[in-house]
């Protein structure tokens, strides 16, 4: 006679029956995933390393004629000695005031007039003559050409002095004509000779000519041919002109201050810089020149002469440009570092970036780049220069940085120098410009390919990933992908970034929370359905997002056409796989299989959602594609695809719905699963047993299992000493024992003893497996009259000792469980396992006669 408590356990739910109880906690969901629904893991798509360093790799969608070159020649002549202002296209208005007539008719015939010498003492004459000779000698060598035009910084003033040349203010008066400083320079540009007034006109110093410089303190510039503005201008000076120069209306204090600054620069230039320039001009050997370049850089830094404000900058640049033709990579890097530090612009900035790019294409130069700290100079270009003005220069600068980032030894340095922030700032600029203009900017796509490829390398670092999260970079990358959806190279690189990022939990959560990403990924799948290298990564990302996030599953499935898009992709690559059976198509077959592997994983994850799973189970196309995969693929041929497909079928078989295609084809599925059971692949066997665990709730499947002797296989698996396999096999046996006619099968192959051994080995740490074993033994012993005849003497004695010991103990859990999960398992040990174990113990004790003291066998 059964006790009331026994009667409560008389009717046991079949294994894996879906529960319609109250909302479960997250811990319960995690735990029950083992019982029924499981996510599927897979490897990240492999990206082969490119053999050659180029702007665009061999898989690029860009044709050679539609992309910037990675190979080019570069010489000293490629550089410009002057960064001239861009032509405005506007015609200049003629000057209203006419120049003063020349003093002598002979000057009309001289296209390049010299300044007459005033009648001063002979000593002064000698000093002036020697200085002038040096200036003309320098000018004839072409060393006085400027590099860039600098914006004026001083307020405009007019110095009232008739028929004089007064400089040092932005407004200059020449022979009675008022000109702005830049016009005055243009007026005098044919003469590189420049005079320095020192208050008494005691000497003339060598100076370089700058077009439109910020200020021209105490400088006089030679006159020249003004034929485009007027017929002829006299630039002759007499003694009265000199006298007026000496008494010009300029503040004496300001003049003295400027003269002091010039003299300091002059001394430093002559004592520190000029000797190094002489060394560079000798061009004796590479080592000497490189050492001189290093000295030069240090001296310029010490003298505060770096940047674009230094007045003798053009002389330096001209000398450095000439050395490019030597063709040494070591020297070129040192030259490039100095040139960049001098803040060149426009074409010269482009050429120096090309120079570094050319050198960085060879991996053997990575050590040179590291030794010269070129990376810092390149990042400074990206940080300080204007993106829209220097897009092409940025392209080659980023290309070099991309090559450098491919070397793991540079990652820490790049991240510490804020490479992540700099790149994301540029991406943000491009996003804003594209949004503002309504169209993608020219060449920005080429630049984005380099930037995203660099970020792809950087995200291997935990610190880089942390920075990306802290600056909310993932939405910006999604925005780029949306704006450049027609650029497959950009989309592929960003997909590679997300493939890496979503392999980490915090990054995966961050992307999953950006709701717009799902529609974007669907758009890419539909647009690039046959582009394997892109869609395989998109599908991999979706698999990561939906692996542990039920909200992500729901959001994705809410997007219009989401499931049809996945099934269409499945069909496309299924056909490609079938058509790639020839040996020559081996690579294509592997690529098609890789997409199918990732795709079945997404379907398996989506099936966990209670609204999506039943719909997929009732979808003929979805089920048909899964079954077709099992039909033509063996586990020896493609292990991961077969296992993922079986796992997806397992999740779909969990839903016992009337219109389920899985239920309609359950016997056919069972036939396909037998192939897996008899394989030598333990993972495949485990997945097949799990599906049988769900399907065996049906009487027809139970009959199939007995007819095909599958139950014997399940009993044998109890000896596997593999916790998950024992759990799944025990679940199938539990469902079989619901049918009274099939309980006797547990006597075959020592089934009872193996169940008791599983309880003894795994029970103390696994309440779920222990509970299944007790329920199976409970079903088996429903009509018990004698415990020994039912279980056997040895197993009965074991149970009589083992069960009380479990009831007196707490669940033993190792340190791999967090506190919440420990609490969950301990709670269910008390509420789920112990009641079942207590009732089973009561039944055995009530049907057992104790003849001698019992002891637990050693194990």
């Amino acid at each position: 006679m059964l006790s009331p408590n026994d009667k409560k356990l008389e009717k046991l739910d079949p294994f894996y029956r879906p529960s319609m109880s109250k909302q479960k906690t997250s811990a319960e969901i995690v735990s029950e995933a083992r019982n029924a629904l499981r996510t599927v893991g897979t490897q990240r798509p492999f990206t082969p390393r490119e053999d050659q360093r180029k702007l665009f790799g061999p898989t690029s969608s860009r044709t050679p004629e539609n992309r910037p070159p990675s190979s080019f020649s570069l010489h000293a002549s490629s550089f410009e000695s002057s960064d001239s202002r861009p032509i405005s296209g506007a015609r200049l208005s003629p000057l209203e005031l006419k120049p003063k007539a020349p003093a002598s008719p002979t000057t009309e015939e001289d296209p390049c007039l010299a300044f007459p010498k005033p009648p001063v003492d002979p000593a002064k004459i000698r000093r002036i003559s020697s200085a002038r000779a040096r200036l003309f000698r320098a000018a004839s060598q072409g060393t006085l050409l400027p590099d860039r035009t600098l914006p004026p910084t001083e307020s405009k003033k007019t110095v009232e002095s008739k028929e004089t040349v007064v400089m040092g203010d932005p407004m200059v008066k020449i022979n009675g004509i008022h000109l702005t400083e830049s016009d005055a320079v243009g007026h005098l540009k044919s003469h590189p000779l420049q005079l320095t007034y020192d208050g008494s006109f005691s000497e003339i110093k060598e100076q370089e000519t700058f077009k439109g410089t910020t200020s021209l303190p105490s400088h006089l510039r030679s006159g020249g041919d003004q034929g485009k503005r007027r017929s002829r201008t006299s630039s002759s000076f007499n003694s009265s002109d000199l006298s007026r120069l000496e008494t010009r209306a300029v503040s004496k204090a300001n003049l003295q201050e400027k003269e002091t600054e010039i003299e300091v620069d002059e001394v430093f230039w002559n004592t520190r810089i000029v000797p190094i320039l002489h060394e560079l001009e000798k061009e004796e050997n590479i080592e000497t020149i490189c050492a001189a370049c290093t000295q030069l850089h240090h001296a310029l830094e010490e003298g505060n002469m770096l940047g674009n404000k230094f007045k003798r900058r053009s002389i330096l640049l001209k000398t450095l440009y000439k050395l490019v033709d030597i063709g040494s990579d070591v020297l070129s890097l040192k030259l490039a570092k100095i040139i960049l530090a001098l803040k060149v612009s426009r074409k010269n900035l482009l050429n120096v970036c090309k120079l570094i790019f050319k050198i960085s294409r060879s991996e053997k130069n990575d050590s040179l780049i590291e030794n010269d700290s070129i990376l810092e100079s390149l990042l400074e270009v990206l940080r300080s220069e204007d993106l829209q003005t220097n897009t092409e220069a940025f392209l080659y600068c980023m290309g070099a940085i991309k090559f450098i980032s491919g070397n793991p030894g540079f990652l820490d340095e790049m991240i510490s120098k804020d490479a992540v922030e700099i790149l994301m700032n540029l991406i943000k600029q491009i996003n804003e410009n594209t949004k503002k203009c309504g169209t993608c900017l020219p060449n920005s796509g080429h630049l984005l390919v380099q930037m995203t490829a660099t970020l792809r390398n950087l995200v291997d670092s935990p610190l880089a990933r942390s920075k990306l999260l802290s600056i909310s970079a993932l939405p910006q990358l999604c925005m780029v992908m949306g704006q450049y959806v027609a650029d497959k190279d950009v989309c592929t690189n960003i997909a590679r970034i997300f493939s890496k990022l979503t392999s980490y939990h915090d990054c995966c959560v961050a992307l999953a929370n950006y709701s717009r990403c799902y529609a974007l990924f669907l758009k890419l799948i539909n647009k690039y359905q046959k582009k394997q290298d892109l869609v395989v990564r998109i599908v991999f990302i979706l698999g990561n997002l939906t692996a542990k996030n039920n909200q992500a599953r729901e959001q994705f499935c809410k997007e219009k056409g989401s499931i049809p898009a996945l099934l269409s992709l499945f069909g496309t690559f299924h056909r490609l796989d079938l058509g790639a059976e020839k040996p020559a198509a081996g690579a294509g077959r592997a690529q098609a299989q890789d997409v199918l592997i990732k795709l079945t994983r997404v379907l398996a994850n989506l099936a966990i959602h209670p609204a999506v799973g039943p719909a997929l189970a009732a979808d003929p196309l979805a089920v048909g594609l899964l079954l077709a995969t099992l039909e033509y693929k063996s586990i020896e041929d493609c292990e991961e695809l077969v296992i993922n497909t079986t796992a997806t079928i397992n999740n779909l078989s969990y839903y016992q719905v009337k219109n389920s295609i899985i239920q309609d084809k359950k016997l056919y599925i069972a036939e396909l699963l037998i192939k897996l059971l008899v394989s030598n692949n333990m993972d495949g066997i485990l997945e097949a047993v799990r599906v049988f665990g769900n399907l065996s709730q049906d009487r027809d499947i139970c009959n199939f299992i007995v007819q095909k002797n599958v139950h014997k296989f399940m009993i044998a698996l109890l000896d596997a000493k593999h916790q998950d396999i024992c759990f799944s096999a025990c679940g199938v046996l539990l469902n079989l024992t619901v049918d009274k006619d099939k309980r006797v099968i547990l006597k075959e192959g020592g089934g009872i003893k193996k169940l008791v051994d599983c309880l003894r080995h795994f029970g103390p740490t696994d309440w779920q497996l222990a509970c299944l074993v007790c329920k199976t033994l409970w079903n088996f012993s429903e009509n018990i009259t004698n415990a020994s005849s039912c279980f056997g003497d040895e197993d009965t004695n074991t149970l009589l000792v083992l069960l009380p010991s479990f009831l007196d103990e707490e669940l033993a859990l190792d340190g791999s469980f967090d506190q919440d999960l420990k609490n969950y398992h301990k709670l269910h040990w008390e509420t789920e396992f112990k009641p079942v174990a207590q009732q089973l113990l009561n039944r055995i004790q009530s049907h057992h006669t104790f003849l001698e003291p019992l002891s637990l066998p050693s194990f």
Side-chain angles (χ1 to χ4, degrees):
M1 188 71 180
L2 294 176
S3 67
N5 288 333
D6 289 344
K7 290 181 179 180
K8 290 181 182 178
L9 293 173
E10 189 69 25
K11 181 66 175 177
L12 292 175
D13 287 338
F15 183 55
Y16 287 161
R17 183 178 297 281
S19 173
M20 303 301 292
S21 61
K22 63 181 179 69
Q23 184 73 27
K24 291 182 172 57
T25 65
S26 58
E28 289 174 319
I29 292 173
V30 170
S31 178
E32 292 185 0
R34 167 184 175 178
N35 297 340
L37 304 174
R38 291 191 322 108
T39 58
V40 179
T42 188
Q43 294 181 343
R44 182 165 53 84
F46 173 69
T47 302
R49 180 171 179 171
E50 296 175 1
D51 295 333
Q52 294 182 327
R53 290 182 170 184
K54 295 182 179 180
L55 283 174
F56 305 95
T59 61
S60 173
S61 61
R62 287 163 166 76
T63 57
E65 60 271 15
N66 292 326
R67 61 190 183 192
S70 292
S71 299
F72 42 79
S73 59
L74 200 63
H75 306 286
S77 59
S78 303
F79 293 86
E80 292 180 342
S81 57
S82 173
D83 290 346
S84 59
R85 292 181 183 273
I87 299 173
S88 65
R91 184 181 297 275
L92 296 176
S93 300
L95 296 173
E96 295 181 0
L97 296 177
K98 295 183 179 180
K100 190 176 181 179
S104 173
T106 58
T107 58
E108 295 290 338
E109 300 173 2
D110 188 359
C112 186
L113 299 175
F115 289 96
K117 301 176 183 178
V120 292
D121 65 271
K124 290 183 178 181
I125 292 175
R126 283 194 297 273
R127 288 198 297 270
I128 293 171
S129 299
S130 60
R132 182 175 294 165
R134 289 196 303 273
L135 281 169
F136 278 118
R137 189 162 54 250
S140 66
Q141 295 173 1
T143 59
L144 300 178
L145 293 174
D147 176 73
R148 73 158 67 187
T149 303
L150 300 175
T153 59
E154 297 182 10
S155 61
K156 294 186 176 181
K157 298 178 183 178
T158 302
V159 179
E160 299 294 341
S161 180
K162 297 181 180 179
E163 302 177 7
T164 61
V165 179
V166 180
M167 294 189 176
D169 299 296
M171 184 65 75
V172 181
K173 188 174 182 181
I174 302 177
N175 291 332
I177 301 174
H178 289 279
L179 300 176
T180 61
E181 185 175 285
S182 59
D183 289 336
V185 175
H187 175 71
L188 303 174
K189 67 179 179 179
S190 61
H191 284 276
L193 177 61
Q194 194 165 298
L195 306 180
T196 301
Y197 175 62
D198 66 358
S200 63
F201 205 72
S202 61
E203 63 177 318
I204 302 174
K205 303 175 182 177
E206 286 185 47
Q207 294 291 339
E208 58 176 331
T209 301
F210 280 78
K211 290 195 270 187
T213 52
T214 305
S215 64
L216 303 172
S218 308
H219 288 178
L220 296 176
R221 300 181 183 179
S222 62
D225 184 10
Q226 296 267 338
K228 294 182 181 179
R229 293 189 180 182
R230 59 195 177 201
S231 60
R232 183 68 57 186
T233 299
S234 172
S235 57
S236 300
F237 286 89
N238 51 36
S239 59
S240 62
D241 295 328
L242 182 59
S243 176
R244 281 192 291 272
L245 281 173
E246 293 176 336
T247 59
R248 64 183 181 167
V250 178
S251 170
K252 186 175 181 180
N254 292 339
L255 183 59
Q256 289 175 346
E257 182 181 346
K258 293 177 181 178
E259 287 170 355
T260 303
E261 180 182 344
I262 291 169
E263 285 206 16
V264 172
D265 288 346
E266 189 75 15
V267 172
F268 191 88
W269 171 265
N270 289 328
T271 58
R272 296 294 303 276
I273 306 300
V274 171
I276 300 175
L277 294 182
H278 288 328
E279 287 293 323
L280 293 176
E281 289 175 356
K282 291 178 183 178
E283 299 185 9
E284 294 179 351
N285 57 68
I286 299 298
E287 290 78 9
T288 303
I289 300 175
C290 288
C293 285
T294 302
Q295 273 186 297
L296 178 61
H297 191 276
H298 291 161
L300 292 172
E301 189 174 20
E302 181 184 344
N304 197 26
M305 295 178 177
L306 296 176
N308 55 15
K309 306 296 183 184
F310 174 48
K311 296 177 183 178
R312 298 183 184 272
R313 175 172 165 274
S314 60
I315 298 176
L316 288 172
L317 290 170
K318 188 89 174 191
T319 303
L320 297 174
Y321 294 157
K322 288 168 59 179
L323 296 174
V324 171
D325 284 340
I326 294 178
S328 165
D329 289 346
V330 180
L331 174 59
S332 293
L333 284 176
K334 292 186 179 296
L335 295 173
K337 185 175 181 180
I338 301 174
I339 293 170
L340 287 178
L342 290 171
K343 299 295 182 183
V344 294
S345 62
R346 301 186 182 92
K347 185 176 180 180
N348 289 340
L349 178 59
L350 168 61
N351 283 329
V352 73
C353 288
K354 280 186 170 183
L355 180 62
I356 298 174
F357 172 85
K358 190 175 182 180
I359 297 169
S360 65
R361 289 193 62 191
S362 175
E363 285 189 50
K364 67 181 182 181
N365 289 331
D366 284 358
S367 58
L368 302 179
I369 292 172
E370 183 178 13
N371 293 337
D372 281 322
S373 302
I374 294 296
L375 176 61
E376 187 172 357
S377 300
L378 293 173
L379 292 175
E380 180 60 26
V381 171
L382 301 182
R383 182 189 289 112
S384 60
E385 297 294 339
D386 180 65
L387 171 61
Q388 295 189 51
T389 306
N390 303 290
T391 305
E392 190 176 1
F394 274 41
L395 172 67
Y396 287 100
C397 178
M398 271 308 315
I401 293 175
K402 178 185 72 173
F403 298 152
I404 295 171
S405 69
N407 185 334
F410 283 96
L411 288 185
D412 290 341
E413 181 185 357
M414 292 186 71
I415 296 167
S416 67
K417 295 185 184 302
D418 297 331
V420 173
E421 292 88 343
I422 292 171
L423 294 183
M424 288 310 307
N425 182 55
L426 290 175
I427 288 175
K428 186 177 180 180
Q429 287 184 47
I430 293 175
N431 281 337
E432 291 173 351
N433 290 335
T434 304
K435 186 177 181 180
K436 182 178 179 181
C437 301
T439 182
C440 299
L441 299 176
N443 297 321
S444 58
H446 300 326
L447 179 58
L448 280 169
V449 172
Q450 312 309 313
M451 288 195 288
T452 52
T454 304
L455 282 173
R456 179 195 67 203
N457 294 332
L458 292 178
V459 295
D460 287 331
S461 165
L463 182 56
R465 295 193 295 270
S466 176
K467 287 191 172 189
L468 287 172
L469 290 178
S470 66
I471 60 177
S472 301
L474 274 60
Q476 287 291 336
L477 291 172
C478 285
M479 192 179 300
V480 169
M481 190 179 266
Q483 291 175 341
Y484 289 79
V485 70
D487 193 325
K488 177 180 170 290
D489 293 346
V490 173
C491 293
T492 301
N493 278 349
I494 296 177
R496 286 170 173 166
I497 294 172
F498 287 158
S499 294
K500 289 186 175 184
L501 290 178
T502 55
S503 299
Y504 301 92
H505 176 71
D506 50 353
C507 297
C508 190
V509 171
L511 184 58
N513 290 338
Y514 184 67
S515 58
R516 295 182 181 179
C517 73
Y518 304 103
L520 174 61
F521 294 151
L522 279 174
K523 186 175 183 179
L524 290 168
I525 288 174
N526 290 323
K527 182 174 179 64
Y528 295 105
Q529 192 165 102
K530 292 187 178 181
K531 302 297 182 181
Q532 187 272 346
D533 58 333
L534 177 54
V535 295
V536 72
R537 287 171 174 81
I538 298 296
V539 176
F540 176 75
I541 295 165
L542 288 173
N544 290 343
L545 295 178
T546 57
K548 297 180 180 180
N549 193 323
N550 214 41
Q551 184 179 359
R553 299 168 192 144
E554 183 175 349
Q555 283 188 302
F556 176 77
C557 292
K558 281 183 177 179
E559 296 294 337
K560 185 178 180 180
S562 56
I563 300 300
L566 293 180
L567 296 181
S568 175
L569 189 65
F570 199 148
T572 297
F573 281 91
H574 175 71
R575 290 187 293 273
L576 288 174
D577 190 25
L578 287 175
E581 296 295 330
K582 297 178 181 179
R589 184 181 184 186
Q591 291 177 346
Q593 288 178 357
D594 201 19
V595 175
L596 294 175
I597 288 168
K598 273 61 178 179
L599 196 51
T600 50
R601 175 188 180 223
V602 175
L603 294 175
N605 294 346
L606 292 176
I608 296 175
H609 194 281
V612 182
L616 282 175
D619 190 316
L621 178 58
V623 177
L625 288 169
L626 292 169
L627 295 183
T629 302
L630 285 185
E631 287 172 1
Y632 81 95
K633 287 292 182 185
S634 67
I635 197 164
E636 292 79 16
D637 181 40
C638 187
E639 175 183 344
E640 192 174 1
L641 177 57
V642 171
I643 290 175
N644 284 6
T645 302
T646 308
T648 307
I649 292 174
N650 170 61
N651 287 357
L652 296 180
S653 66
Y654 172 80
Y655 300 100
Q656 308 290 322
V657 291
K658 293 182 179 179
N659 57 347
S660 171
I661 307 298
I662 295 290
Q663 294 302 316
D664 292 344
K665 296 182 176 291
K666 55 184 179 291
L667 289 174
Y668 178 62
I669 293 172
E671 288 281 0
L672 293 175
L673 293 176
I674 289 181
K675 293 193 302 180
L676 277 178
L677 287 177
V678 297
S679 71
N680 294 323
N681 189 296
M682 191 58 70
D683 291 330
I685 291 172
L686 175 58
E687 291 301 333
V689 173
R690 283 172 171 154
V691 180
F692 272 117
N694 283 339
L695 296 180
S696 60
Q697 297 178 60
D698 183 88
R699 182 177 290 273
D700 292 338
I701 293 298
C702 288
N703 292 335
F704 174 88
I705 288 173
V706 174
Q707 291 170 5
K708 300 291 185 177
N709 290 321
V710 176
H711 65 283
K712 294 181 179 179
F713 196 82
M714 300 298 169
I715 291 173
L717 289 176
L718 296 176
D719 276 335
K721 307 304 180 186
H722 188 292
Q723 206 161 333
D724 285 338
I725 289 180
C726 290
F727 177 86
S728 299
C730 188
V732 176
L733 295 175
L734 170 61
N735 286 344
L736 289 176
T737 57
V738 172
D739 189 343
K740 296 179 181 180
D741 297 338
K742 297 180 175 60
R743 292 171 181 168
V744 67
I745 63 173
L746 288 183
K747 292 242 182 212
E748 301 178 18
I752 298 298
K753 177 176 177 52
K754 291 177 180 178
L755 285 171
V756 173
D757 287 341
C758 282
L759 183 63
R760 180 171 59 181
H761 285 102
F762 302 122
T765 59
D766 190 339
W767 69 266
Q768 293 170 306
L769 177 54
C771 200
L772 278 183
V773 171
C774 290
K775 287 183 178 182
T776 304
L777 294 175
W778 174 267
N779 285 356
F780 175 76
S781 61
E782 181 182 10
N783 298 319
I784 186 174
T785 56
N786 182 277
S788 294
S789 61
C790 181
F791 297 112
D793 290 336
E794 183 179 350
D795 293 327
T796 299
N797 291 340
T798 301
L799 289 171
L800 287 172
V801 175
L802 196 60
L803 292 174
S805 68
F806 287 167
L807 293 173
D808 292 336
E809 295 177 1
E810 290 186 358
L811 183 66
L813 297 173
D814 59 36
S816 62
F817 294 88
D818 60 35
Q819 192 58 47
D820 288 343
L821 211 52
K822 282 184 178 179
N823 293 339
Y824 167 78
H825 285 298
K826 288 181 178 180
L827 174 64
H828 283 72
W829 171 265
E830 298 293 331
T831 60
E832 297 283 340
F833 167 70
K834 284 191 175 182
V836 177
Q838 184 65 63
Q839 299 306 317
L840 178 61
L841 178 60
N842 292 342
R843 173 179 284 181
I844 295 173
Q845 289 175 339
S846 63
H847 294 86
H848 180 71
T849 303
F850 293 94
L851 301 177
E852 57 186 26
L854 298 175
S855 62
L856 185 64
S858 61
F859 55 89

